[in-house]
Amino acid sequence: VALPISDTRYANRRIARSAIESGLPGLRPRRSALASGVTFSKGSGLYAVPVTTVVTGGAGFLGSHLVELLEADGQDVHVVRKADCDLTDANDVARLFEEVRPDRVFHLAAEVGGIGANRDNPGRYWYANLMMGVNILEQARIHGTGKITMVGTICSYPKFAPIPFREETLWDGYPEETNAPYGVAKKALLVGAQSYREQYDLNAIMLLPVNLYGPRDNFDLHSSHVIPALIRKMIEAQERGEGSVTLWGDGSPTREFLYVEDCARGLFMAGRDYDGADPVNLGTGFEISIKDLAEMIGEATGFEGEIVWDTTKPNGQPRRQLDVTRARERFGFEAEVSFPDGLARTVEWFRANRA
């Protein structure tokens, strides 16, 4: 996001909309592929403007893929980076909304990591994720923002939630302990979104993506999630000629994974087509054990050594698999990239882009 921004631009936007409503020639409304309702084409008149969309975390792993879809759709996208705006600071967020005046916001920014990072930063992850979302919701209320699409987490589900995870069971228990600070913060934001909808008529939705993977992921061994961590460990072990890699836990937990481009498409579709108060899972419905995952990544990376399990380290949540019926029924989303294909693309990207 470029700050500061002249107020003249927003005066022009209001003039443009008034002109179209008055039927002045040269300003042609169109239906955006993303926005619900009418937006205005670039170049169709002196004051024609697109919908202005803010994407927090838009320079990150998931956000960068979403931004590409929004820009291809003709949206005027503002990417919020931490260097420009501290989303945990209410004054910074107020300044962001005042200067950009978004029509809609995708709130993707988060502070989170794998099991190790979660154990090291429980207070920070609870505070940062809660405050970012609270500030976004409050400024959206104050400025009359048209729609907020918030990204939650399946870490919010109870530790022993029945498989597959259904949105109706979100409140049936406490999250797995290492995920709880982050997961509870996101559940609180769901309550906030629903409460602001009820009291202030704010159109705020929340999506619950499963574990993501794919190009541009974080491959830092301390803070990354399981797939990028395993890819890096195995490739580097192979290059050093090591005969084994040591992994946390016993390999028994199961996980579900969604390719990042599929997730970005799901967010895009929900931003266009879904306006409900209920949270919605985004996933594939495909469950795999960590042991089987490690063997698949070994094959994909060419690692032929031994996989050693350190059972003194935590496993994390025992199982994760989503019921993805609601996403299909409410806005037509289904994952398209198969897991073997997505894994191969991710390994290829890491090999080509590491320092």
Side-chain angles (χ1 to χ4, degrees):
V1 62
L3 302 175
I5 299 173
S6 168
D7 282 344
T8 303
R9 173 180 177 186
Y10 306 107
N12 287 348
R13 183 182 294 127
R14 288 190 292 272
I15 293 169
R17 289 174 178 170
S18 296
I20 290 183
E21 289 169 1
S22 301
L24 295 182
L27 296 175
R28 301 190 302 273
R30 69 179 175 93
R31 180 165 295 278
S32 167
L34 174 70
S36 55
V38 172
T39 62
F40 311 116
S41 301
K42 290 180 178 177
S44 63
L46 179 60
Y47 297 112
V49 291
V51 160
T52 297
T53 304
V54 159
V55 182
T56 71
F61 171 43
L62 173 59
S64 62
H65 291 276
L66 175 62
V67 166
E68 289 174 356
L69 294 179
L70 298 174
E71 290 181 338
D73 183 56
Q75 304 299 301
D76 180 13
V77 180
H78 293 256
V79 174
V80 180
R81 296 175 174 85
K82 191 170 184 179
D84 301 317
C85 179
D86 179 0
L87 294 173
T88 68
D89 185 319
N91 292 327
D92 267 17
V93 180
R95 179 172 59 93
L96 168 70
F97 273 75
E98 182 61 27
E99 295 181 349
V100 177
R101 302 189 188 183
D103 300 296
R104 57 189 57 230
V105 175
F106 285 84
H107 178 46
L108 279 58
E111 291 192 26
V112 66
I115 293 176
N118 289 344
R119 294 176 73 188
D120 291 345
N121 301 282
R124 175 62 192 178
Y125 287 175
W126 174 82
Y127 172 82
N129 289 289
L130 182 64
M131 295 310 300
M132 285 191 283
V134 166
N135 290 333
I136 291 291
L137 285 171
E138 177 64 2
Q139 291 304 317
R141 177 192 71 81
I142 291 170
H143 289 84
T145 304
K147 187 170 184 178
I148 309 295
T149 300
M150 306 188 78
V151 174
T153 174
I154 62 162
C155 294
S156 297
Y157 274 101
K159 181 176 181 177
F160 297 107
I163 299 297
F165 293 180
R166 293 182 172 85
E167 294 90 344
E168 295 86 354
T169 68
L170 190 62
W171 295 97
D172 289 354
Y174 194 72
E176 189 276 326
E177 292 78 8
T178 62
N179 292 317
Y182 174 58
V184 169
K186 290 291 191 176
K187 287 174 84 166
L189 295 177
L190 171 61
V191 174
Q194 293 171 334
S195 301
Y196 272 49
R197 173 185 294 270
E198 181 179 355
Q199 183 171 355
Y200 305 119
D201 199 30
L202 179 65
N203 186 7
I205 66 171
M206 180 169 280
L207 307 174
L208 306 174
V210 76
N211 300 57
L212 303 181
Y213 73 103
R216 307 176 201 161
D217 204 345
N218 169 27
F219 285 82
D220 179 87
L221 290 179
H222 182 68
S223 60
S224 63
H225 290 286
V226 60
I227 286 181
L230 291 183
I231 289 172
R232 179 173 173 178
K233 274 192 171 187
M234 290 185 177
I235 288 177
E236 292 183 350
Q238 182 185 33
E239 291 173 344
R240 291 191 296 261
E242 297 173 352
S244 66
V245 294
T246 300
L247 307 181
W248 280 22
D250 61 13
S252 65
T254 66
R255 293 292 180 265
E256 177 180 332
F257 299 96
L258 179 63
Y259 192 64
V260 64
E261 292 178 8
D262 275 337
C263 186
R265 184 171 53 83
L267 297 180
F268 185 103
M269 294 171 70
R272 177 188 64 199
D273 296 328
Y274 181 60
D275 294 314
D278 295 329
V280 181
N281 291 333
L282 286 184
T284 63
F286 169 72
E287 181 184 20
I288 184 172
S289 73
I290 298 300
K291 182 178 183 295
D292 289 343
L293 172 67
E295 292 173 356
M296 281 190 69
I297 292 177
E299 293 177 5
T301 59
F303 176 73
E304 298 178 348
E306 180 185 6
I307 298 172
V308 178
W309 297 98
D310 182 357
T311 57
T312 67
K313 296 294 192 296
N315 272 328
Q317 192 164 23
R319 294 182 68 187
R320 285 185 190 168
Q321 182 190 8
L322 299 186
D323 183 326
V324 295
T325 304
R326 186 176 287 181
R328 182 175 64 251
E329 291 180 347
R330 300 204 182 179
F331 50 92
F333 172 75
E334 292 184 279
E336 295 180 350
V337 178
S338 71
F339 189 58
D341 186 23
L343 203 57
R345 295 187 204 180
T346 307
V347 171
E348 180 181 6
W349 183 90
F350 176 69
R351 290 188 186 277
N353 289 275
R354 61 183 173 147

